[in-house]
Amino acid sequence: NGVATNTESPSTVYVVVTKYEFDELKGTSVVYSDLKVLVFNDGVEPTTKDKLLINGSLFEILNVDPTYAGSLPVIYTVQCRK
């Protein structure tokens, strides 16, 4: 899991940390060192104003892409960079 931090208060979130595939880098703002983080919706919606603390390293959130089940976001795909 990771910790989402903002100016209000830190929150623990459940995440899966992966890397972007080569074909996902082409023609985008994603760079090879970026992390692709899946954040499960547990009542905390990540934003680009937040940061993620993963394994002791702090990452900026550059992009948040929600995946919906009906009208509710169930998971967020988050682009992170050190």
Side-chain angles (χ1 to χ4, degrees), residues 39-58:
V39 179
F40 297 94
N41 186 354
D42 194 19
V44 177
E45 180 178 349
T47 71
T48 55
K49 294 178 183 177
D50 297 323
K51 298 180 188 338
L52 278 176
L53 181 63
I54 301 170
N55 295 329
S57 296
L58 198 58

Side-chain angles (χ1 to χ4, degrees), residues 15-82:
V15 301
V16 174
V17 179
T18 64
K19 299 286 282 175
Y20 283 93
E21 297 294 325
F22 182 74
D23 62 331
E24 293 177 290
L25 303 176
K26 200 166 148 182
T28 69
S29 64
V30 178
V31 297
Y32 183 73
S33 60
D34 287 353
L35 294 181
K36 181 179 184 179
V37 180
L38 304 176
V39 179
F40 297 94
N41 186 354
D42 194 19
V44 177
E45 180 178 349
T47 71
T48 55
K49 294 178 183 177
D50 297 323
K51 298 180 188 338
L52 278 176
L53 181 63
I54 301 170
N55 295 329
S57 296
L58 198 58
F59 291 85
E60 300 284 334
I61 295 178
L62 302 177
N63 189 36
V64 178
D65 183 26
T67 300
Y68 289 87
S71 62
L72 298 174
V74 292
I75 195 167
Y76 301 93
T77 303
V78 176
Q79 176 189 357
C80 295
R81 187 176 295 163
K82 260 190 181 182

